[in-house]
C-alpha cells in the first residue's frame, strides 16, 4: 500500500529543506515524526505536516479498497525536495547610510511517499563489511600472531648471528693487537741484550776503521798525483837557471 503527499511553494531554500528531509528517508513513520518534532529547523514543521497528510492518504485509500492497515507500520519510501519559482523574486532590504542590500526569495516543493513495505537500506545505512581481523577475532582465530611470532623469531636469530659475528671480529682484532705487541716487545728485548749491543759496537768500530783506511788511501793517491807536476816545475826552473 502506497500513498503520496505534496507541498508546493514552501518559503525557504531547497538546500536547507533537504538537510531536514534527509533525516527521515527510509525510516518508520512514528520514528520520522519524532525526529522532526525535535529538529530545530524551520522546515521541520512543514515536512511533518506533509508526512501526516501522506499517512492520512494511505489510511483513506486502504479504507476505500477494504484493506486493513496500521499507520505505525508505514515507512517513508521516498522523499525529495525540488526547487520552486525564484525568477524575478529579488527584493531590496534597506541598509544604513542610504544603502540597500539585495535579497533573493527562494521557494521549494516537498514530496513524500509512504509505503507499507519496508524499503531497502541505502548505501549510507548499509552495515559495513567486517574485515578479516574482526572475523578472525570473533571466530577465536588469531592468524596475525603466528606471523608476528615468526617475524620476531627471525629478527632475534639475525640479531644473534650479527652479535656473534661482531664478537668474532673483536676477538680477531684483539689477537692481532696482542701479536703485534709481543713482536715489538721481543724486538726491544733483543736490541737491549748485551750480545746485540756488543755486535753493534763491533760493527761501528769496523766501519770507522774502514773509513780511516779509505781516507789515508785517498791522501796518498792525491800526493802521488801531485808529484809529477812538481817535478815538471822543478825541471823547468833548473833549465831556466842554467840558461
Amino acid at each position: 500500500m502506497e500513498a503520496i503527499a505534496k507541498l508546493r511553494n514552501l518559503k525557504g531554500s531547497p538546500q536547507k529543506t533537504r538537510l531536514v528531509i534527509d533525516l527521515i528517508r527510509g525510516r518508520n513513520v512514528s520514528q520520522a515524526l519524532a525526529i522532526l518534532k525535535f529538529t530545530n529547523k524551520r522546515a521541520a514543521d512543514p515536512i511533518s505536516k506533509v508526512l501526516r497528510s501522506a499517512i492520512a492518504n494511505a489510511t483513506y485509500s486502504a479504507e476505500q479498497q477494504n484493506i486493513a492497515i496500521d499507520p505505525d507500520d508505514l515507512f517513508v519510501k521516498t522523499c525529495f525536495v525540488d526547487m520552486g519559482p525564484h525568477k524575478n523574486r529579488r527584493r531590496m532590504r534597506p541598509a544604513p547610510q542610504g544603502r540597500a542590500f539585495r535579497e533573493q526569495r527562494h521557494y521549494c516543493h516537498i514530496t513524500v511517499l509512504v509505503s507499507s513495505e519496508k524499503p531497502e537500506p541505502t548505501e549510507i545505512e548499509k552495515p559495513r563489511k567486517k574485515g578479516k581481523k574482526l572475523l578472525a577475532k570473533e571466530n577465536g582465530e588469531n592468524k596475525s600472531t603466528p606471523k608476528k611470532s615468526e617475524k620476531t623469531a627471525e629478527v632475534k636469530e639475525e640479531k644473534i648471528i650479527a652479535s656473534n659475528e661482531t664478537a668474532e671480529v673483536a676477538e680477531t682484532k684483539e689477537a692481532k693487537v696482542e701479536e703485534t705487541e709481543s713482536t715489538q716487545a721481543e724486538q726491544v728485548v733483543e736490541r737491549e741484550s748485551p750480545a746485540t749491543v756488543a755486535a753493534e759496537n763491533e760493527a761501528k768500530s769496523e766501519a770507522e776503521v774502514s773509513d780511516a783506511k779509505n781516507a789515508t788511501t785517498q791522501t796518498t793517491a792525491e800526493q802521488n798525483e801531485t808529484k809529477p807536476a812538481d817535478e815538471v816545475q822543478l825541471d823547468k826552473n833548473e833549465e831556466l837557471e842554467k840558461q
Side-chain angles (χ1 to χ4, degrees), residues 181-207:
E181 290 178 353
S182 61
T183 52
Q184 290 177 358
E186 289 176 357
Q187 290 177 0
V188 170
V189 170
E190 288 178 356
R191 289 175 183 176
E192 292 179 354
S193 62
T196 55
V197 172
E200 289 178 358
N201 293 329
E202 289 179 357
K204 287 181 181 179
S205 61
E206 289 178 358

Side-chain angles (χ1 to χ4, degrees), residues 149-166:
S149 61
E150 290 175 0
K151 289 181 179 179
T152 52
E154 291 177 357
V155 171
K156 287 181 180 178
E157 289 178 357
E158 290 177 357
K159 288 182 179 179
I160 291 165
I161 292 166
S163 62
N164 292 330
E165 289 178 356
T166 52

Side-chain angles (χ1 to χ4, degrees), residues 108-157:
C108 61
H109 307 313
I110 300 171
T111 304
V112 178
L113 177 66
V114 294
S115 175
S116 58
E117 296 178 359
K118 188 175 181 180
E120 295 180 358
T122 59
E123 294 181 357
I124 298 171
E125 295 176 353
K126 284 181 181 179
R128 293 183 179 178
K129 293 182 180 179
K130 294 182 180 180
K132 293 181 180 179
K133 292 182 179 179
L134 293 174
L135 292 172
K137 286 182 180 179
E138 289 180 358
N139 297 328
E141 298 176 357
N142 196 359
K143 296 180 180 180
S144 61
T145 52
K147 293 181 180 179
K148 290 182 179 179
S149 61
E150 290 175 0
K151 289 181 179 179
T152 52
E154 291 177 357
V155 171
K156 287 181 180 178
E157 289 178 357

Side-chain angles (χ1 to χ4, degrees), residues 21-183:
I21 207 165
D22 290 341
L23 300 173
I24 64 172
R25 186 177 289 110
R27 297 185 182 275
N28 191 10
V29 170
S30 59
Q31 188 180 4
L33 290 172
I35 290 168
L36 293 171
K37 183 178 179 180
F38 295 102
T39 302
N40 189 15
K41 295 286 186 182
R42 189 175 68 178
D45 292 335
I47 292 170
S48 64
K49 289 180 182 180
V50 176
L51 181 58
R52 292 178 191 278
S53 177
I55 295 166
N57 294 334
T59 55
Y60 179 76
S61 62
E63 289 176 359
Q64 292 291 328
Q65 297 176 11
N66 294 325
I67 298 171
I69 188 171
D70 187 3
D72 293 332
D73 294 336
L74 296 172
F75 293 90
V76 180
K77 187 177 181 181
T78 58
C79 57
F80 53 87
V81 178
D82 295 327
M83 184 180 289
H86 62 280
K87 187 177 181 181
N88 298 326
R89 289 183 179 269
R90 296 184 180 88
R91 301 291 184 269
M92 302 301 292
R93 182 166 60 86
Q97 297 181 358
R99 292 176 295 174
F101 294 155
R102 191 179 70 174
E103 292 181 353
Q104 178 71 51
R105 301 292 176 89
H106 295 280
Y107 294 91
C108 61
H109 307 313
I110 300 171
T111 304
V112 178
L113 177 66
V114 294
S115 175
S116 58
E117 296 178 359
K118 188 175 181 180
E120 295 180 358
T122 59
E123 294 181 357
I124 298 171
E125 295 176 353
K126 284 181 181 179
R128 293 183 179 178
K129 293 182 180 179
K130 294 182 180 180
K132 293 181 180 179
K133 292 182 179 179
L134 293 174
L135 292 172
K137 286 182 180 179
E138 289 180 358
N139 297 328
E141 298 176 357
N142 196 359
K143 296 180 180 180
S144 61
T145 52
K147 293 181 180 179
K148 290 182 179 179
S149 61
E150 290 175 0
K151 289 181 179 179
T152 52
E154 291 177 357
V155 171
K156 287 181 180 178
E157 289 178 357
E158 290 177 357
K159 288 182 179 179
I160 291 165
I161 292 166
S163 62
N164 292 330
E165 289 178 356
T166 52
E168 290 177 356
V169 171
E171 289 178 357
T172 53
K173 287 182 178 180
E174 290 178 357
K176 288 180 180 179
V177 170
E178 289 178 356
E179 289 178 358
T180 53
E181 290 178 353
S182 61
T183 52

